[in-house]
Amino acid sequence: MTRYVCILLAATLGLGACATQQNTAHCSAPLNRDLDTAMMEVEQRLASGCEYHFDRYFQQLLSTAEDNPDAENKSRFSDHLLRANEMGVISQRQAKELYNRYFNVKFVSLTGDYNTCAQTCPVRSEVMNNMQNELRDKQVGLLKASADKTGYYRADHLLKEAQLVLEATCRACNAGAQ
Amino acid sequence: MPSPHPIVAALASCLIAVSFSSHTLAAGQSGPVVKLFPTTVLEDIRETSAVAEELENNLQEIIHRLDMQQQLYQESLCEGADADQGCARMAKQLGATYLEMLNAMGERLPEMERAVNNTRNSLEKRLRQELGQRTTPTTLQNQLLGQTAAVSATTRPALRGRSGVRLSDRFKQYYDLVATHRNGPSKSLAVVAADIYLDMEEASQLIAATQQEISRAALMEQLNQSFGLITPEMAAVVGGVKEILFGEAGGETPIAAPPYAIGQDTFVSPLEM
């Protein structure tokens, strides 16, 4: 009896492993080089057990878009993120953050509802580093993927101005606190 | 190449700080964020401009004389001819004029210091209240972005640290800027205020350091008067002051990247902030 149970268990595990292997292969298969097609493939996979690969897919899609720069890519990514949100793979907050990080001039790293003295000044250098990193992502999203030089230069300009204004404001905040 | 003398650095900083004042007046008259530049701040800035202009006028005449004396000294092949009595006399005259320049700066600097400190303090208060306490990072970003979008290459202000433009010319440039701003787009006042404040703070520190340095430099020159020497330090100071007062307009470094086209159709995502 014990023998039969063991065989049954082994067979079940074997089938499970097989299914996992198939799933992994399905999730990891290369994406089409056409962005629209690739996005459809990604969405199909996300709907069929590959949701944990979302981040990797997003980077792959960006890379595909870089190879085919187009002003329309912004709206493609926006729609893709909205669909991923509707599928429940990512939250709306994540969708917004990703879209704005890559495709908007504004910096998600410089947001908040408290006053600047209290929220930003204590961590100013960290905020500036984050903005710098975000600018690199905007270089990918705005400049390379969307061919939006204007947008990228505005973001670059905004970063420099924010740096100057925050330096002065935080110095003034500190002087007032002393 | 000797490093810039503190006096020169301080003076440069003062002039730079003042240079922004005209721009601020312009921006203050047209921009929507007038709270950063109430009348008191504008008055402080105006006074600083006037004090700096006076300093410039005083130094300009002395510098011109120093120039003439230096030219005469060089044309007379006096360099290295320490034993020659005529050359020694010229070197002494040069040293005396140099002392006069130091004294002129020494006399005007306390007033300059007071004016700069007043401006710095009033701007500091406004920045703290308006941008530090009444603004969130999100609104600050929106404010900067809303106004930078309209800035063209011709209206872009100078960056901190620009120097070497004749002061009177600079004022003329700012007048032009005022005229442009009357009907044109306005630069973010937050940036202008931040710029002036940081410059004023730097200027204030340098003025204090310069005041200490002047007495040392004057003492050294009084000693040199006994020997009739033209020191490299003298040459560096005079050279630096000249550069500030009579320098050519330096290449203006843009605060960011090249200008961009305005009004093109852009995609607006529902995800956008």
Side-chain angles (χ1 to χ4, degrees):
Chain A
M1 180 66 183
T2 315
R3 206 163 136 195
Y4 288 120
V5 170
C6 280
I7 291 167
L8 195 65
L9 195 66
T12 312
L13 285 173
L15 281 174
C18 229
T20 310
Q21 264 183 355
Q22 267 184 347
N23 198 31
T24 309
H26 157 69
C27 293
S28 309
L31 294 170
N32 196 292
R33 296 310 297 166
D34 173 71
L35 188 61
D36 287 324
T37 315
M39 279 178 174
M40 271 168 48
E41 282 176 1
V42 165
E43 284 158 24
Q44 281 166 4
R45 290 184 200 180
L46 290 175
S48 56
C50 303
E51 58 267 36
Y52 295 111
H53 295 265
F54 174 80
D55 289 338
R56 190 167 57 81
Y57 291 149
F58 190 74
Q59 291 304 321
Q60 283 181 4
L61 291 174
L62 280 171
S63 170
T64 305
E66 276 185 63
D67 294 338
N68 305 283
D70 185 357
E72 295 296 311
N73 284 346
K74 267 189 204 181
S75 62
R76 289 189 176 104
F77 272 92
S78 172
D79 292 343
H80 170 67
L81 287 168
L82 282 171
R83 285 193 293 268
N85 168 236
E86 281 162 12
M87 290 160 70
V89 177
I90 53 170
S91 66
Q92 195 180 21
R93 189 192 175 93
Q94 284 174 307
K96 273 189 178 178
E97 191 166 320
L98 272 174
Y99 179 80
N100 288 303
R101 183 173 187 87
Y102 285 89
F103 297 100
N104 193 355
V105 174
K106 288 184 197 174
F107 286 79
V108 283
S109 313
L110 186 64
T111 49
D113 299 325
Y114 296 100
N115 76 49
T116 309
C117 281
Q119 186 173 349
T120 311
C121 291
V123 289
R124 184 167 64 94
S125 57
E126 195 184 318
V127 169
M128 293 319 305
N129 281 341
N130 291 341
M131 286 179 81
Q132 197 66 54
N133 290 337
E134 191 175 334
L135 186 68
R136 277 195 277 274
D137 289 339
K138 290 184 193 306
Q139 189 178 18
V140 173
L142 284 172
L143 192 65
K144 294 182 179 170
S146 310
D148 182 5
K149 277 188 192 172
T150 303
Y152 175 71
Y153 288 139
R154 283 179 70 194
D156 180 52
H157 191 96
L158 179 61
L159 172 62
K160 288 183 172 71
E161 288 200 331
Q163 200 164 12
L164 180 74
V165 171
L166 282 178
E167 187 187 342
T169 305
C170 293
R171 212 179 275 197
C173 291
N174 287 340
Q178 282 166 5
Chain B
M1 187 81 182
S3 61
H5 194 275
I7 295 170
V8 176
L11 187 59
S13 200
C14 295
L15 298 182
I16 291 159
V18 170
S19 74
F20 279 99
S21 60
S22 294
H23 177 255
T24 311
L25 293 175
Q29 283 162 358
S30 62
V33 192
V34 286
K35 280 180 182 174
L36 276 171
F37 293 100
T39 321
T40 48
V41 176
L42 291 181
E43 276 307 311
D44 285 337
I45 291 170
R46 206 170 284 158
E47 197 197 333
T48 313
S49 304
V51 173
E53 210 172 348
E54 238 175 277
L55 180 71
E56 183 207 30
N57 290 340
N58 278 4
L59 286 177
Q60 202 162 338
E61 190 271 323
I62 302 172
I63 295 281
H64 179 66
R65 235 182 314 135
L66 265 175
D67 234 4
M68 302 292 283
Q69 288 172 341
Q70 176 95 38
Q71 197 183 343
L72 186 65
Y73 187 81
Q74 281 169 347
E75 282 173 1
S76 308
L77 304 173
C78 281
E79 279 173 89
D82 297 338
D84 186 276
Q85 277 196 334
C87 289
R89 204 176 307 127
M90 268 191 263
K92 272 196 174 182
Q93 280 173 351
L94 201 52
T97 314
Y98 174 66
L99 261 177
E100 200 183 330
M101 186 192 81
L102 292 179
N103 289 336
M105 286 180 78
E107 273 172 27
R108 295 282 170 190
L109 279 182
E111 201 184 346
M112 187 78 192
E113 187 180 34
R114 187 188 51 74
V116 165
N117 285 349
N118 281 348
T119 308
R120 183 201 56 191
N121 292 343
S122 52
L123 263 175
E124 186 176 272
K125 194 176 159 193
R126 302 311 297 185
L127 278 170
R128 185 167 55 245
Q129 287 177 347
E130 299 300 323
L131 297 184
Q133 292 165 346
R134 290 184 192 153
T135 309
T136 67
T138 308
T139 51
L140 179 66
Q141 184 171 203
N142 287 343
Q143 194 190 22
L144 290 176
L145 195 62
Q147 284 160 335
T148 54
V151 176
S152 71
T154 49
T155 59
R156 189 180 295 131
L159 267 182
R160 289 179 64 216
R162 190 184 78 161
S163 62
V165 181
R166 194 184 170 93
L167 200 56
S168 47
D169 285 346
R170 195 173 280 184
F171 275 98
K172 191 173 172 297
Q173 285 171 11
Y174 289 125
Y175 172 78
D176 292 341
L177 197 62
V178 174
T180 312
H181 271 255
R182 210 170 278 155
N183 297 316
S186 87
K187 174 71 187 165
S188 166
L189 289 183
V191 175
V192 177
D195 227 339
I196 297 175
Y197 170 64
L198 292 174
D199 272 331
M200 290 284 171
E201 197 173 61
E202 204 177 320
S204 174
Q205 289 164 1
L206 285 166
I207 288 171
T210 304
Q211 281 177 315
Q212 290 178 346
E213 189 65 21
I214 280 176
S215 40
R216 191 198 65 82
L219 180 66
M220 287 300 291
E221 186 42 38
Q222 278 157 7
L223 287 173
N224 284 340
Q225 281 285 296
S226 317
F227 305 102
L229 293 173
I230 298 171
T231 64
E233 186 185 55
M234 264 172 70
V237 172
V238 174
V241 173
K242 269 167 61 182
E243 194 182 319
I244 292 159
L245 294 178
F246 312 117
E248 299 295 320
E252 196 173 312
T253 317
I255 196 160
Y260 38 82
I262 297 166
Q264 67 181 46
D265 290 333
T266 50
F267 164 73
V268 180
S269 164
L271 294 170
E272 210 150 277
M273 288 193 291

